Amino acid sequence: LGLPILLGISRKKFIKELSNKNNSSSRIGGTISSSIFAMMQGVQMLRVHDVNEVNQSIKVFKQLIK
């Protein structure tokens, strides 16, 4: 149907397990890298807590890969 793919990835438990960061607010780096990876896999919408930071990282990433 061509529906957009939505992923809620922000501060998730898998980021905690991979990064050893128990405090969820310390997982922004994992959220950003996971968001960029998901976007590269075709995810079109992300549900995140740190909107400005993730948005900035995606904008910079898109410029870097041009």
Side-chain angles (χ1 to χ4, degrees), residues 5-65:
I5 299 169
L6 169 66
L7 184 64
I9 203 165
S10 190
R11 304 180 185 182
K12 294 294 185 214
K13 185 178 178 182
F14 81 94
I15 298 171
K16 170 187 169 183
E17 291 170 358
L18 292 173
S19 67
N20 295 319
K21 296 290 183 185
N22 284 329
N23 185 347
S24 65
S25 63
S26 298
R27 300 182 201 156
I28 182 65
T31 297
I32 288 172
S33 61
S34 300
S35 297
I36 290 173
F37 180 78
M39 185 186 69
M40 292 175 64
Q41 304 306 307
V43 172
Q44 297 143 332
M45 293 187 297
L46 297 165
R47 184 205 160 275
V48 298
H49 293 94
D50 305 288
V51 176
N52 293 330
E53 292 85 347
V54 173
N55 192 38
Q56 180 186 57
S57 68
I58 290 171
K59 285 180 181 180
V60 170
F61 179 78
K62 285 182 175 181
Q63 290 298 313
L64 290 172
I65 62 171

